[in-house]
Amino acid sequence: MDYKVERYLGEKVSKELIKNHIFDLFSLLNYFPKRYEFFTLKEFTDNKETQTIKGVIVSDIVIRKHQRNLKSISFKFKTGEHIVSVVSFGRDYLLDKLYPELALVINGNYDKKVFNINAIFINDYKDHIKPIYNFSELYDYQVTQALRKALRTLEFKEETIPESYLKKYKLPSDYETFRCLHFPETVLDINQGKRKLKYQEALIFQLAVNYHIRTKFKAKIKPLAYDLTKIRGFIETLPFGLTEDQKKAVNQLFLDFKSDYPIERLIEGDVGSGKTVVVAIAFFALAKNYQGVLMAPTEILARQHYQTLSNLFADYPIQLEFLSSSVTGKKRAAILEKLINKEVDILVGTHAVIQPDVAFKDLRYIVIDEEQRFGVEQKKTLKDKGNNSHLITLSATPIPKSLAATILQDVRIAKIKTKPALRKKIITRVLNDREVSGLIQKMNEELNQGRQVYIVVPLIEESENLDVKNALDIYNKFKDLFTGFTEVGLLHGKLSASEKNQVTTAFAENKLGILVSTTVVEVGIDIKNATMMVVLDANRFGLSTLHQLRGRVGRNDLQCFCYYVSKKEECERLKVLEEVDDCFLLSEYDLKARGPGQFFGTKQTGFGNFLFLDFVADFKILELAKTDALEILDFYGLNQSESLRKLKFEMQKVITNFTKDDII
């Protein structure tokens, strides 16, 4: 049906609308107010805020001429116990209607003892909200009249968003959304309308991104085979029960295995939440049928994973191998030969697994731990070794760029928020460097109970350019301080692999009471007996690193402590860590602090095209919309469902604006 504006609206209104690229009534309804003016009757207050007050004119009306034929009217106005001077520009046409003792309602701002009028209500007044559209040649009341006619004329036979999702989030219908935003009765109307449009924009965008990537860049594969009975039997043999979040994450992974194209999934979970056992179950399920690989950023962490998997699979005929730069010669050659002959089910290692001569026979399942430690090219190199493999990345503190990738690309998220039972919250304090002496007593208390302590510093050796603590000086200081009381160890990146293993083994066996280290302990060291973490010059580290360091303690049912020591003027930034110990909240905090420009550069990957969404402020809406978009694509099918016809139409409009650079 023809809904062109010139057919339904007057010539002057239609001409102005067309000049602003509004050609039909649908486009008019989608031209939303730039802002709103709120007219709510209140008592007069002596401030600059916009306010609506009632009262009586108590003086003659004075008219003044200004430059360019501009005129103003002014008078004294009594409101309650106050008498204020009132001025209004461009309303000299009201001169004949205003007189002393006339009761009025006026709206405006009080500034420098003068009330500047925005609006005058001479007749009956009621509280209301006025949308402001800012057309150069049309008054807002003319636009409102045109919108009212458009809303009466148009038919809303089908919804853009399917009914199930409207009910799920209690969102208004298309008709009600336009009513809420163009003719709001309350602030709640405006908020509901905006909430609907934000979600709608997010859902259409997510459908477009994921549909486009799936159809253009994803290869078709056969679902991966596994024996559910054996998997359930394996889970029953685990020395602990799975948390609800772990169960949910496991189920999500097995849904991925049923997919007919490769899935990339990010598993977010705080330190100690049990991400490793989730992927271990997946490794178990696929072993013997397919090959898997687990890559970690440090040898310490990689060996820890290898040991964990070896223990879990000890009673099963699953072949594991370990590969790092320290594995050389004939031993390395033997592992590579086994890999290509499919005599290795799971390879665990460091960056060594992406070396050119490392080849797999049938790699289908890739796990990357601490994924923020690897670059895009490193991840791609490992993926290219597989046969259209599924990719799982693990992170305790996803950096903002990782979070952004989950929104921009076909990356699914599994969150493990619950922690094992009996774990106590780590008591965290931010101290200025003058308070550090008090920590010695606390260390003594922990050491006297047979506990262990970490001390982390930014540098290995003293620097002429930086006034910060270094590992060698702190090691010598504490070695002298605790002579005859406990042994002190030193760990840093310049040590050889065997030296690192020697130190970490001694600490694990409680032969060392204190371990002085650089951030090499950030990942991969799991000492259950350690109860105290001290980070010196903490201002030198980012929030995610500090949170990771805190995660080296609290891996037991004991009360643990973490102290961040910093220069006094730097402490404020770190205070958030005293209250927040949730990796998800810290990631969002970091996201808000940096903003989207930090991830995407000036182009920002098409985000400038959002009309209603703010990438940072509305990140959670984008996350929800992504989940729903994947559900629609996976289970409903855009082409099969008639109820998705309008949504698909809107999605296709977005896809036509994509370029390759906008997606990848």
Side-chain angles (χ1 to χ4, degrees), residues 343-377:
E343 294 171 9
V344 175
D345 297 310
I346 303 165
L347 179 66
V348 181
T350 60
H351 299 72
V353 303
I354 60 174
Q355 293 303 307
D357 59 343
V358 178
F360 297 81
K361 178 76 171 179
D362 190 19
L363 177 60
R364 296 294 190 90
Y365 188 59
I366 297 169
V367 177
I368 301 176
D369 195 10
E370 299 296 338
E371 62 91 23
Q372 70 273 12
R373 295 294 197 92
F374 296 96
V376 173
E377 285 303 314

Side-chain angles (χ1 to χ4, degrees), residues 374-387:
F374 296 96
V376 173
E377 285 303 314
Q378 290 170 319
K379 295 176 191 175
K380 184 178 183 300
T381 300
L382 186 54
K383 281 188 73 174
D384 289 346
K385 292 181 181 293
N387 183 13

Side-chain angles (χ1 to χ4, degrees), residues 109-272:
N109 304 295
Y110 188 70
D111 187 19
K112 295 180 181 179
K113 299 183 180 180
V114 175
F115 195 95
N116 293 287
I117 291 180
N118 295 326
I120 296 177
F121 302 93
I122 298 175
N123 301 316
D124 292 340
Y125 168 85
K126 66 176 182 177
D127 289 355
H128 65 287
I129 301 171
K130 180 184 178 184
I132 305 299
Y133 294 92
N134 287 349
F135 281 95
S136 59
E137 302 295 329
L138 293 177
Y139 292 111
D140 286 317
Y141 80 87
Q142 293 175 294
V143 181
T144 298
Q145 288 176 341
L147 284 161
R148 186 169 279 112
K149 186 159 190 177
L151 203 56
R152 284 199 308 263
T153 303
L154 292 171
E155 297 180 70
F156 296 87
K157 292 182 178 179
E158 56 182 324
E159 295 293 326
T160 306
I161 296 175
E163 189 71 25
S164 59
Y165 294 99
L166 293 179
K167 288 180 179 178
K168 180 180 180 180
Y169 300 116
K170 297 180 180 178
L171 296 171
S173 64
D174 287 347
Y175 174 88
E176 189 61 15
T177 299
F178 292 128
R179 200 278 306 164
C180 283
L181 291 171
H182 291 301
F183 306 99
E185 296 175 3
T186 64
V187 175
L188 181 62
D189 280 348
I190 298 172
N191 292 338
Q192 277 288 82
K194 287 181 177 179
R195 195 165 68 92
K196 159 70 176 295
L197 291 179
K198 285 182 176 185
Y199 174 77
Q200 181 170 299
E201 188 169 46
L203 182 63
I204 291 168
F205 177 80
Q206 292 291 6
L207 279 169
V209 168
N210 289 281
Y211 183 81
H212 186 68
I213 291 175
R214 189 172 297 189
T215 54
K216 297 294 182 183
F217 303 108
K218 293 286 187 180
K220 285 282 186 179
I221 62 171
K222 291 182 179 180
L224 301 182
Y226 53 85
D227 187 327
L228 200 55
T229 303
K230 287 184 179 179
I231 295 164
R232 286 173 176 161
F234 172 68
I235 292 173
E236 288 176 4
T237 67
L238 293 174
F240 42 76
L242 298 179
T243 65
E244 288 304 311
D245 281 352
Q246 285 175 314
K247 291 176 184 176
K248 185 177 179 182
V250 168
N251 289 334
Q252 287 172 315
L253 292 183
F254 281 87
L255 273 177
D256 295 346
F257 297 157
K258 294 178 180 179
S259 174
D260 58 0
Y261 67 95
I263 299 292
E264 185 172 342
R265 185 177 289 277
L266 168 66
I267 300 182
E268 295 178 358
D270 230 325
V271 177

Side-chain angles (χ1 to χ4, degrees), residues 586-605:
L586 282 173
S587 296
E588 289 176 19
Y589 182 89
D590 205 8
L591 182 69
K592 290 173 183 176
R594 297 191 192 190
Q598 291 289 322
F599 328 129
F600 309 121
T602 54
K603 191 175 184 183
Q604 293 188 9
T605 316

